Amino acid sequence: MHSKSFIALAIASVGAVSATQTGDIFHGLPISDTCKFAILAASSSPVAACLDIPGLYKVLALPEDVSWLEPISSWLNNACNQGDCDTAALTTTVKGVLNACQADLELIGYGGLIDHLDATTIPLYYKTGKNALCLRDQSNSNSLCVRDLALQLQKLYGVTYKPEDADKDYTNVLYYNYGSWSSEIVCHQCTLGIYKEIKEHIPDTKAFRLECEWNAQCGANFIPKPPLISPLHPRLWLKMIRGTKKMGCHHFMPGSLV
C-alpha cells in the first residue's frame, strides 16, 4: 500500500479527537493552528464513533517514554468491533482535514495527498486498512495479528514501541535487519493474511514484486502463483515474470514494501 494512504488514514483517525485535550494529543509537534483546529473540529464527525476515538485519544495522550503496544492493541480491539464508517462522512472528514493541513503536509513532502485521495480512494484505503489491522490469528486464541507480529518483533529485535525510541527502533529493525527478518515473522500466517488483504484490494502495491522472496524463504507455495496464462491480465503477468527474472530473488530491501 502506498505510504501516502497510511498517512491519510492516520490523519482521518487523529481528526476526531476531543477538542479539550489539545496539549496532550499534539505533544508539541510543529503543527499550524489552522491544521489543529480542523483536526479538533472533526471530533463532531460520525467517524468519531466508527474509529473509536475515545480509545484512540487514550493512546495519543500517553507519555512518550512508555510502550504504546498494549494501548494500541486495546484500541484496535474496540475499533474492530465498531461498524464501518459511513463513506461520505469519512471522505468529507479526510478532505476537510487535508485542505486545512495542506501547508503542513507540503512541508514534509506530502502536499499531493489532496489530489491523490478522493471519494473512491479514501473508502478503499480505509476498508483495506481496517481489514488488515483487524485480522485475527486463529492459531493463537483469535488474537489480533498485528499484535502477535509486533510481539515477535519485540522478542527478536528488542523493539520497545515507545515514541521516544522510534528512531532507534526504525534504524535497528526496519533498516539494518529488514533483509534478515526471522521466518517467525516473514512466514507467519498473519503476515500472509495481511499481505493478501492488501493485494486483493490494492493490486499495484510494490509488495507484489517480492512474492518470489517470500516463497524462497517460506516454501515454494507460501504465496500461490497465479495461472501462467491469465485471461484477465496476460500483459501484467508476462511483465511480472520478466521483471522477476531480471531482479532475481535476493533479499528484502529497506523500504521496498511501501
Side-chain angles (χ1 to χ4, degrees):
M1 183 184 294
H2 296 293
S3 57
K4 293 182 178 180
S5 311
F6 288 111
I7 292 176
L9 291 174
I11 290 174
S13 302
V14 175
V17 297
S18 169
T20 62
Q21 310 291 348
T22 311
D24 291 337
I25 291 170
F26 293 111
H27 290 278
L29 292 173
I31 302 173
S32 69
D33 290 341
T34 301
C35 185
K36 285 183 180 179
F37 179 80
I39 290 174
L40 297 174
S43 61
S44 60
S45 168
V47 300
C50 61
L51 293 172
D52 182 25
I53 297 308
L56 177 62
Y57 169 68
K58 291 179 182 178
V59 178
L60 295 175
L62 285 172
E64 297 186 4
D65 60 350
V66 301
S67 173
W68 286 20
L69 176 57
E70 292 307 329
I72 288 176
S73 298
S74 178
W75 167 65
L76 274 177
N77 266 314
N78 289 329
C80 291
N81 290 328
Q82 305 300 316
D84 288 343
C85 293
D86 177 78
T87 55
L90 182 67
T91 300
T92 299
T93 301
V94 173
K95 295 294 282 186
V97 173
L98 287 176
N99 276 312
C101 299
Q102 180 72 7
D104 301 80
L105 292 169
E106 287 177 352
L107 288 175
I108 58 174
Y110 287 95
L113 271 178
I114 197 167
D115 297 323
H116 176 69
L117 298 173
D118 54 33
T120 299
T121 55
I122 291 172
L124 172 64
Y125 292 145
Y126 160 72
K127 185 61 177 176
T128 303
K130 181 177 180 180
N131 287 349
L133 291 173
C134 295
L135 196 66
R136 300 281 178 172
D137 185 358
Q138 297 180 359
S139 67
N140 187 27
S141 303
N142 213 34
S143 59
L144 284 170
C145 274
V146 289
R147 180 180 182 275
D148 287 357
L149 294 173
L151 287 173
Q152 287 286 357
L153 284 173
Q154 188 175 63
K155 172 186 174 182
L156 295 169
Y157 303 109
V159 180
T160 68
Y161 300 107
K162 298 177 182 179
E164 68 176 13
D165 292 337
D167 290 342
K168 179 179 70 176
D169 287 344
Y170 172 81
T171 301
N172 182 43
V173 180
L174 297 180
Y175 192 84
Y176 288 120
N177 288 311
Y178 193 74
S180 58
W181 275 9
S182 167
S183 59
E184 294 179 55
I185 296 173
V186 176
C187 304
H188 199 290
Q189 285 301 308
C190 279
T191 304
L192 177 60
I194 292 171
Y195 168 72
K196 283 184 174 180
E197 184 65 40
I198 295 173
K199 178 184 174 182
E200 178 182 352
H201 297 99
I202 310 176
D204 64 340
T205 175
K206 292 182 180 180
F208 181 59
R209 306 172 190 173
L210 298 176
E211 290 187 357
C212 55
E213 280 88 349
W214 259 307
N215 285 338
Q217 183 168 350
C218 306
N221 203 38
F222 182 68
I223 299 178
K225 297 180 178 67
L228 182 61
I229 301 299
S230 170
L232 297 178
H233 305 288
R235 293 183 180 178
L236 176 62
W237 178 234
L238 288 173
K239 182 178 180 181
M240 188 196 74
I241 294 176
R242 292 166 182 163
T244 301
K245 288 182 178 179
K246 183 177 180 180
M247 291 187 304
C249 293
H250 302 296
H251 53 77
F252 293 104
M253 295 299 292
S256 56
L257 286 177
V258 294

